[in-house]
Amino acid sequence: MTAARILVVDDAATIRMYHRKLLGDAGWQTDEAINGLEAVEKVVAAGGGERPFDLYVVDVNMPKLDGYGFVRELRRLPASQQAPVMMVSTEAQLQDASTAQEAGANCYLVKPARPAELVLTAALLLGDAQAAAQAAAAHPVNGGAR
């Protein structure tokens, strides 16, 4: 089975590196974009010959095109380029999660996402039971959900 392709979209280099490390360690291929506009370009390029992405991990607050705008643009593209979207942001109000859902996101996590939270959510969205089991064993969640 080919490893899932994940596009990490965030303007902060340290967050991109953190997410790519965690997701890469889970066995998935990762690519990155520094804002929503670059992400749209990568999605369109992938649809033009490369294998499309299987998951998008997207920040909200970014220059040029924010995360909500990216998700709205993504959902306007052909079905072949559709994949689940996990929004990960410092914005922690209920309204932020609702706006993400209305834009077309599948879930919403608040930064900083714990390793287990990020990897287990990605595994769930990808339908990757093996990665979920490995993530649960490697990063036990103590104290339940936040």
Side-chain angles (χ1 to χ4, degrees):
M1 181 176 172
T2 305
R5 284 187 75 210
I6 301 174
L7 182 62
V8 176
V9 187
D10 200 302
D11 58 324
T14 54
I15 298 295
R16 288 193 314 271
M17 183 174 59
Y18 175 68
H19 288 171
R20 287 188 72 174
K21 168 83 170 113
L22 292 172
L23 298 168
D25 286 353
W28 301 309
Q29 297 175 1
T30 60
D31 195 356
E32 65 183 53
I34 62 171
N35 59 53
L37 187 59
E38 182 181 3
V40 169
E41 292 170 356
K42 287 188 177 237
V43 171
V44 171
E50 294 180 45
R51 197 173 118 230
F53 293 101
D54 300 301
L55 175 66
Y56 303 95
V57 178
V58 183
D59 183 24
V60 170
N61 297 313
M62 297 179 289
K64 297 190 181 182
L65 182 62
D66 70 10
Y68 301 133
F70 164 72
V71 176
R72 286 185 197 102
E73 289 300 315
L74 175 68
R75 296 306 184 215
R76 289 184 186 122
L77 294 173
S80 64
Q81 294 166 313
Q82 299 302 314
V85 174
M86 177 192 324
M87 304 230 28
V88 186
S89 177
T90 57
E91 304 299 330
Q93 300 299 315
L94 182 57
Q95 180 180 353
D96 301 308
S98 295
T99 302
Q101 183 180 18
E102 290 166 9
N106 299 84
C107 66
Y108 192 93
L109 301 179
V110 177
K111 286 181 187 175
R114 295 179 188 150
E117 183 180 33
L118 183 78
V119 174
L120 288 171
T121 303
L124 176 65
L125 291 171
L126 291 167
D128 190 334
Q130 181 179 0
Q134 289 173 344
H139 304 285
V141 177
N142 296 324
R146 352 180 240 170

